[in-house]
């Protein structure tokens, strides 16, 4: 398979520089593409140092790769798919990627089996990750070129992620911004904490609904940054830890914390479309007494 792109610049940039600067292909992948001798300009093998002309047609192959990690049979919930990318609704209780070569129970292992079944000869590339006990939308690339361009979109924050969280207590403010740096907790390897020496972290929140009887609040959140445990740390810092998140001060323990990657918006790397998908709120998101109500919001 291949992708065809039309040169839009009239600056006479060489093929090597055009693919790097205009398309965003990293140096390592450029080398692989060049060595493959399958890249073509106007259906001919190009001289990589010669300038391109506006209107030239570039043909870039999807390089065949060994499927990794190891494949594991697993039921996966596909929310969106085309030949370039895959968006999955992750269940809580499963890691995004394996923690070791012996670990074969992660979502990435399940996607590897899906690739085998679909005869997609590519490494499994998750463009972002979710904590083990966070459910919802997660984005995978289906070939190296797509992975490189989606990584670039993630780096410059073009890919937008919106979360829902059920937090302890009744929040007073209907909306707000938490701008507090986050660093590692030297007393607890698995925790993060607010730290003046930490990395900048900004979280926007908006209250959806308060539940006075249960003393819980349903909140929508979006991130300007993507720090480890960012939402969990920031909400806890406000005195409203996620329901079930005892690592960050919740008073009630459940099998998962109540955080769900509800919406994902992705500018398509090869088309002018913007893909937006929503993952239904799962039944195990919060207390059983609220599950049906939350699911209808």
């Amino acid at each position: 398979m291949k992708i065809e792109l039309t040169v839009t610049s009239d600056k006479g940039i060489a093929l090597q520089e055009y693919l790097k600067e205009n398309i965003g292909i990293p140096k390592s992948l450029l080398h692989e593409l060049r060595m493959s001798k399958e890249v073509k300009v106007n259906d001919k093998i190009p001289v990589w140092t010669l300038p391109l002309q506006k209107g030239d047609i570039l043909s870039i192959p999807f390089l065949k790769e060994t499927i990794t990690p190891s494949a594991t049979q697993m039921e996966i919930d596909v929310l969106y798919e085309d030949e370039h990318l895959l968006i999955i609704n992750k269940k809580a209780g499963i890691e995004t990627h394996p923690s070791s070569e012996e670990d074969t129970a992660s979502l990435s292992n399940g996607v590897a089996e899906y690739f085998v079944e679909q005869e997609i000869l590519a490494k499994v590339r998750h463009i972002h990750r979710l904590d083990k006990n966070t459910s919802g939308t997660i984005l995978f690339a289906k070939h190296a070129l797509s992975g490189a361009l989606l990584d670039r979109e993630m780096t410059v924050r073009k890919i937008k992620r919106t979360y829902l969280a059920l937090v302890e207590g009744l929040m007073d403010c209907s909306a707000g911004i938490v701008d507090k740096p986050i660093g590692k907790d030297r007393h607890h390897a698995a925790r993060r904490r607010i730290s003046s020496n930490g990395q900048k972290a900004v979280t926007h929140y908006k209250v959806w609904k308060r539940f006075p009887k249960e003393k819980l609040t349903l909140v929508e959140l979006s991130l300007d940054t993507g720090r480890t445990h960012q939402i969990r740390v920031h909400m806890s810092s406000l005195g409203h830890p996620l329901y079930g998140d005892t690592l960050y001060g919740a008073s009630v323990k459940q099998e998962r914390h109540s955080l769900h990657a509800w919406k994902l918006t992705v500018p398509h790397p090869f088309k002018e479309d913007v893909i937006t998908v929503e993952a239904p709120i799962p039944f195990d998101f919060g207390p059983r007494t609220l599950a049906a109500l939350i699911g209808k919001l």
Side-chain angles (χ1 to χ4, degrees):
M1 294 181 65
K2 63 184 179 180
I3 183 74
E4 289 192 345
L5 303 171
T6 302
V7 175
T8 57
S9 172
D10 57 3
K11 295 182 179 180
I13 303 173
L15 176 59
Q16 177 92 9
E17 291 304 310
Y18 188 85
L19 293 178
K20 181 181 177 182
E21 301 298 333
N22 291 55
I23 307 302
I25 301 177
K27 186 176 180 180
S28 58
L29 180 54
L30 272 178
H31 177 74
E32 292 182 54
L33 289 169
R34 190 165 185 169
M35 292 300 100
S36 75
K37 301 185 184 303
E38 293 181 42
V39 176
K40 294 183 180 180
V41 177
N42 300 326
D43 212 28
K44 296 179 181 179
I45 296 175
V47 177
W48 283 66
T49 55
L50 290 182
L52 296 169
Q53 302 299 317
K54 187 175 182 179
D56 282 347
I57 305 298
L58 308 184
S59 176
I60 307 172
F62 299 168
L63 300 177
K64 294 181 180 180
E65 302 172 303
T66 300
I67 300 174
T68 56
S70 58
T72 300
Q73 186 67 44
M74 185 182 303
E75 182 181 346
I76 60 174
D77 182 7
V78 176
L79 297 172
Y80 176 88
E81 180 180 16
D82 63 18
E83 66 269 36
H84 306 295
L85 56 91
L86 176 69
I87 302 175
I88 289 174
N89 183 12
K90 179 180 113 44
K91 295 179 181 179
I94 182 172
E95 297 282 6
T96 297
H97 55 84
S99 57
S100 66
E101 290 186 5
E102 293 73 31
D103 180 7
T104 60
S106 76
L107 181 60
S108 291
N109 296 104
V111 173
E113 175 62 25
Y114 185 78
F115 279 14
V116 170
E117 293 172 357
Q118 301 293 320
E119 299 182 349
I120 301 167
L121 300 178
K123 298 176 183 178
V124 175
R125 293 175 170 87
H126 56 87
I127 305 304
H128 58 100
R129 62 180 295 274
L130 296 176
D131 290 344
K132 179 178 181 179
N133 286 320
T134 300
S135 57
T137 57
I138 184 165
L139 174 63
F140 290 84
K142 292 177 68 175
H143 54 83
L145 181 56
S146 176
L149 300 191
L150 290 170
D151 278 341
R152 188 188 197 189
E153 287 186 354
M154 180 63 70
T155 299
V156 298
R157 302 295 171 191
K158 288 186 177 180
I159 295 174
K160 304 297 183 183
R161 293 177 285 169
T162 306
Y163 295 80
L164 293 177
L166 196 61
V167 302
E168 292 191 346
L170 301 178
M171 296 190 69
D172 293 327
C173 296
S174 295
I177 301 173
V178 186
D179 185 352
K180 299 178 181 179
I182 293 176
K184 292 183 178 180
D185 188 334
R186 58 191 177 91
H187 301 294
H188 196 305
R191 281 175 55 101
R192 298 294 188 271
R193 66 184 183 89
I194 302 299
S195 170
S196 58
N197 297 320
Q199 294 178 298
K200 184 175 180 62
V202 180
T203 302
H204 301 257
Y205 68 87
K206 180 172 64 176
V207 169
W208 267 30
K209 190 174 181 62
R210 298 175 181 86
F211 301 96
K213 182 179 178 181
E214 293 82 4
K215 296 182 180 179
L216 298 171
T217 304
L218 182 63
V219 186
E220 176 187 314
L221 306 114
S222 60
L223 311 178
D224 286 351
T225 51
R227 309 305 175 203
T228 299
H229 296 182
Q230 179 172 322
I231 289 174
R232 299 166 67 184
V233 174
H234 274 174
M235 297 312 293
S236 179
S237 76
L238 296 180
H240 297 283
L242 271 59
Y243 181 81
D245 193 6
T246 53
L247 182 63
Y248 289 103
S251 59
V252 175
K253 183 178 181 180
Q254 64 170 358
E255 290 187 7
R256 61 165 298 183
H257 52 245
S258 295
L259 183 61
H260 179 63
W262 169 56
K263 183 188 294 185
L264 182 68
T265 301
V266 183
H268 199 285
F270 301 108
K271 304 174 185 177
E272 294 185 358
D273 298 342
V274 176
I275 302 158
T276 299
V277 297
E278 295 180 5
I281 302 171
F283 185 74
D284 66 353
F285 178 70
R288 289 183 178 273
T289 55
L290 295 182
L293 177 59
I294 293 173
K296 293 178 181 178
L297 293 177

